């Protein structure tokens, strides 16, 4: 039974039928999924007759939200990344179809397989069963990240991703200084952090494919087990420890501060999974450095979001409140830097 | 009341009535929006009643206004002194007393708060 579609989706069915090589095709359900300030995700259930995807299908349609942020990749690039990482064996949703024609639904979009479970970080870190499944989940996240980090440049299909010309950490520092320069006010704690990061940059670990937003809230969990790693829009070539520092940063523990790995487990099970799958020993002494980088990055993003409201570009209380969160990351930064012996 | 002044009694009354009479009846996405509105009112009330303006903290410690201090730090990338770190901590804590006092408290008391 076909469902009534919003006007912007009326051309989707005919496009899908052609792209799938189907004899006929009916969209049975289409529902906007929660979350996604930068992207929109729609559950789409369809019945396909004929062609290689014949049968009942449950996919996710991903497209740009009305507002994006400058560092976010476009949907065609994200689709290319999904193809590469899926082929590398990472538990990412299977990429199905890409449509770059903005005439179909108004913006480029792609379809990917739907994963079961939930990605809600705040809910996950408060799950009563976390103590029993958290360590195994962290170990799996470590193994998955190691699979991703086996992808190294050059990759022809990812030619749109710039490879850092020099030290990945110093490349980030230059970027964040430029980001701060674009804001109307100075931020002394973040300047201090940038100086500290510049002075304490560890020797590079090499450059690998990094998710660059690998954290609780960006992976799906069902019955305590990982079902998919999501949100590849910030993927970049960088130092592998950047992903580990981001996952372990306090700002992504959702209040479950005692469990360093995304609020779900301690560091040991995660590193066990990562080191076994990668063959690389992680230098734990480097992690506070990348945690400072993570807190700094999130603080810069929060300030950018707040500025979108303050400047009148997009006046919402959510953006204004996100801007105020930067002070939380600033306190984490001071604690980390002082803990490292400033 | 002069221009630019905030009527804190009005703000407090609006906050209380919103929390007691409106918020409990909200469901779904409106509940989320209502929770954010409560948070926004909390911040505004804390701003209006705060005894210490965060920007005044580094100034009182002799490091100038935050903007000038940020520019100085960009220009002079030497290691920070304990006095500077202390002034910056005071600045951040003053901001958090307004925007998220619960986070500040948890950081002081949490198992990993002070050394995350």
């Amino acid at each position: 039974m076909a469902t009534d579609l919003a006007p912007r989706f009326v051309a989707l069915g005919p496009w899908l039928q052609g792209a799938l090589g189907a004899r006929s095709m009916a969209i049975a359900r289409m529902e906007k999924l929660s979350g996604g300030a930068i992207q929109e995700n729609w559950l789409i259930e369809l019945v396909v007759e004929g062609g290689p995807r014949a049968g009942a299908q449950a996919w996710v349609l991903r497209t740009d939200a009305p507002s994006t942020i400058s560092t976010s990749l476009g949907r065609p690039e994200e689709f290319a990344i999904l193809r590469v990482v899926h082929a590398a064996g990472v538990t990412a949703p299977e990429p199905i179809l890409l449509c770059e024609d903005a005439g179909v639904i108004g913006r480029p979009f792609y379809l990917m397989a739907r994963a079961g479970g939930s990605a809600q970080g705040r809910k996950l870190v408060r799950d009563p069963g976390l103590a029993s499944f958290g360590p195994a989940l962290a170990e799996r996240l470590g193994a998955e990240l190691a699979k991703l980090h086996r992808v190294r440049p050059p990759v022809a299909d990812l030619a749109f991703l710039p490879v850092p010309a020099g030290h990945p950490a110093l490349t980030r520092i230059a970027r964040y200084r430029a980001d701060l320069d674009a804001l109307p006010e100075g931020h002394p704690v973040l300047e201090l952090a940038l100086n500290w990061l510049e002075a304490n940059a560890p020797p590079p670990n090499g450059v690998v494919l990094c998710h660059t937003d690998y954290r609780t809230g960006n992976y799906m969990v069902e019955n305590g087990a990982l079902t998919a790693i999501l949100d590849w829009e910030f993927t970049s070539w960088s130092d592998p420890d950047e992903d580990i520092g981001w996952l372990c940063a306090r700002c992504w523990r959702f209040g479950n501060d005692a469990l360093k790995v995304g609020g779900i487990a301690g560091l040991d099970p995660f590193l066990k999974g990562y080191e076994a799958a990668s063959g690389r020993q992680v230098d734990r002494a480097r992690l506070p450095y990348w945690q400072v980088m993570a807190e700094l990055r999130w603080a810069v993003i929060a300030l950018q979001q707040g500025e979108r409201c303050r400047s009148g570009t997009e006046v919402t209380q959510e953006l204004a409140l996100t801007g105020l969160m930067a002070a939380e990351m600033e306190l984490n930064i001071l604690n980390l830097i002082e803990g490292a012996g400033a | 009341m002069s221009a630019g002044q905030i009527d804190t009694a009005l703000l407090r009354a609006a906050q209380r009535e919103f929390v007691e009479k409106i918020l409990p009846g909200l469901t779904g996405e409106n509940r989320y929006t209502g929770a954010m509105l409560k948070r926004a009112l909390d911040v505004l009330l804390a701003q209006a009643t705060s005894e210490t303006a965060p920007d005044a903290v580094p100034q009182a410690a002799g490091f100038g206004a935050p903007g000038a201090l940020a520019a100085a730090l960009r220009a002079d990338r030497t290691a920070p002194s304990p006095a500077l770190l202390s002034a910056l901590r005071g600045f951040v804590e003053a901001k958090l007393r307004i925007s998220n006092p619960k986070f500040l408290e948890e950081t002081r008391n949490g198992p990993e708060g002070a050394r995350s």
Side-chain angles (χ1 to χ4, degrees), chain B residues 49-70:
Chain B
T49 57
S50 172
E51 291 176 1
T52 309
D55 286 6
V57 175
Q59 285 178 300
F63 290 102
L69 178 55

Side-chain angles (χ1 to χ4, degrees), chain A residues 176-178 180-181 185-189 191-192 194-196 198-199 248-250 253 255 257-260 291 295 317-319 321-322 324-332 334-340 342, chain B residues 32-40 43 47 58 65-67 69-71 73-74 76-80 82 84-86 88-93 95-96 99-100 103-104 106-107 110-116:
Chain A
Y176 300 144
R177 282 199 172 114
L180 288 179
D181 286 343
E185 295 169 346
H187 297 276
V189 175
E191 294 291 344
L192 175 97
L194 286 161
N195 291 352
W196 184 88
E198 191 170 55
C248 294
R250 185 186 178 204
R253 296 180 203 162
D257 289 338
L259 297 179
K260 193 167 243 177
Q291 284 177 266
E295 300 282 356
Q317 59 176 352
E318 186 169 21
L319 288 175
L321 290 170
T322 300
L324 296 177
M325 288 174 69
E328 296 162 30
M329 281 65 90
E330 289 179 334
L331 188 60
N332 292 339
L334 290 173
N335 286 335
L336 283 160
I337 288 179
E338 290 189 284
Chain B
Y32 176 67
T33 304
M36 279 199 296
L37 181 53
K38 176 193 176 299
R39 180 124 194 276
V43 171
Q47 275 176 345
L69 178 55
L73 283 164
R74 177 74 68 92
D76 177 13
R77 297 177 185 176
T78 54
L84 174 59
L85 287 171
S86 173
L88 289 175
R89 180 174 290 277
F91 171 53
V92 171
E93 289 185 354
K95 288 198 282 187
L96 285 168
S99 66
N100 196 345
F103 179 88
L104 181 60
E106 285 171 354
T107 303
E112 282 210 341
R115 292 288 179 265
S116 59

Side-chain angles (χ1 to χ4, degrees), chain A residues 245-299:
Chain A
W246 186 251
L247 176 63
C248 294
R250 185 186 178 204
C251 55
W252 296 122
R253 296 180 203 162
F254 293 93
N256 209 8
D257 289 338
L259 297 179
K260 193 167 243 177
V261 176
I264 61 159
L267 195 55
D268 287 343
F270 171 80
L271 289 182
K272 182 181 167 195
Y274 184 86
E275 291 174 345
S278 69
R280 180 176 79 90
Q281 290 296 117
V282 175
D283 182 352
R284 290 171 184 238
R286 289 180 177 217
L287 295 186
Y289 177 88
W290 288 102
Q291 284 177 266
V292 172
M293 188 75 85
E295 300 282 356
L296 171 78
R297 176 180 169 217
W298 185 199

Side-chain angles (χ1 to χ4, degrees), chain A residues 165-184:
Chain A
H167 195 309
L170 300 182
T171 302
R172 295 289 191 227
I173 290 165
R175 170 63 194 256
Y176 300 144
R177 282 199 172 114
D179 287 342
L180 288 179
D181 286 343
L183 294 170

Side-chain angles (χ1 to χ4, degrees), chain A:
Chain A
M1 178 82 137
T3 188
D4 289 333
L5 295 174
R8 68 184 273 215
F9 292 121
V10 291
L12 180 61
W15 181 85
L16 273 172
Q17 186 169 336
L20 292 168
R23 273 195 313 279
S24 68
M25 197 273 326
I27 296 174
R29 181 180 169 208
M30 199 157 178
E31 180 185 319
K32 191 174 177 187
L33 298 171
S34 60
I38 302 168
Q39 315 303 334
E40 277 183 13
N41 296 299
W42 292 77
L43 168 65
I44 177 166
E45 292 178 353
L46 52 160
V47 179
V48 182
E49 289 188 17
R53 297 278 182 177
Q57 305 290 351
W59 294 338
V60 170
L61 182 153
R62 185 165 165 86
T63 188
D64 291 338
S67 61
T68 59
I69 65 175
S70 59
T71 52
S72 173
L73 296 167
R75 287 334 95 222
E77 291 79 16
E78 193 177 35
F79 187 78
I81 289 164
L82 264 186
R83 291 176 68 167
V84 168
V85 302
H86 194 259
V90 178
T91 303
E94 181 197 2
I96 313 270
L97 286 170
L98 168 69
C99 177
E100 296 188 73
D101 179 359
V104 178
I105 67 163
R107 304 175 196 124
F109 66 93
Y110 67 81
L111 292 149
M112 59 184 164
R114 181 197 187 195
S118 165
Q120 291 181 40
R122 212 165 287 282
K123 194 172 156 192
L124 177 65
V125 303
R126 285 161 183 75
D127 190 306
L130 183 65
S132 61
F133 70 72
L137 178 59
E139 187 174 342
R140 176 78 186 280
L141 286 169
E144 292 291 330
L145 191 61
K147 279 190 262 184
L148 173 65
H149 288 173
R150 282 203 292 263
V151 181
R152 290 173 178 267
V155 175
D157 289 345
L158 302 182
F160 54 86
L161 289 179
V163 181
H167 195 309
L170 300 182
T171 302
R172 295 289 191 227
I173 290 165
R175 170 63 194 256
Y176 300 144
R177 282 199 172 114
D179 287 342
L180 288 179
D181 286 343
L183 294 170
E185 295 169 346
H187 297 276
V189 175
L190 304 185
E191 294 291 344
L192 175 97
L194 286 161
N195 291 352
W196 184 88
L197 287 164
E198 191 170 55
N200 291 280
N205 266 322
V207 170
V208 302
L209 194 61
C210 287
H211 183 284
T212 326
D213 200 9
Y214 198 74
R215 63 169 176 86
T216 296
N218 277 345
Y219 53 83
M220 299 281 280
V221 175
E222 189 170 48
N223 300 322
L226 181 78
T227 58
I229 296 158
L230 307 175
D231 290 351
W232 295 84
E233 70 215 53
F234 297 106
T235 301
S236 63
W237 299 112
S238 190
D239 186 304
D241 286 348
E242 183 174 13
D243 270 341
I244 300 175
W246 186 251
L247 176 63
C248 294
R250 185 186 178 204
C251 55
W252 296 122
R253 296 180 203 162
F254 293 93
N256 209 8
D257 289 338
L259 297 179
K260 193 167 243 177
V261 176
I264 61 159
L267 195 55
D268 287 343
F270 171 80
L271 289 182
K272 182 181 167 195
Y274 184 86
E275 291 174 345
S278 69
R280 180 176 79 90
Q281 290 296 117
V282 175
D283 182 352
R284 290 171 184 238
R286 289 180 177 217
L287 295 186
Y289 177 88
W290 288 102
Q291 284 177 266
V292 172
M293 188 75 85
E295 300 282 356
L296 171 78
R297 176 180 169 217
W298 185 199
V300 170
I301 293 171
L303 291 170
Q304 289 171 328
Q305 300 286 59
E307 185 54 28
R308 279 166 59 191
C309 177
R310 293 174 71 184
S311 68
T313 306
E314 190 180 350
V315 180
T316 72
Q317 59 176 352
E318 186 169 21
L319 288 175
L321 290 170
T322 300
L324 296 177
M325 288 174 69
E328 296 162 30
M329 281 65 90
E330 289 179 334
L331 188 60
N332 292 339
I333 285 169
L334 290 173
N335 286 335
L336 283 160
I337 288 179
E338 290 189 284

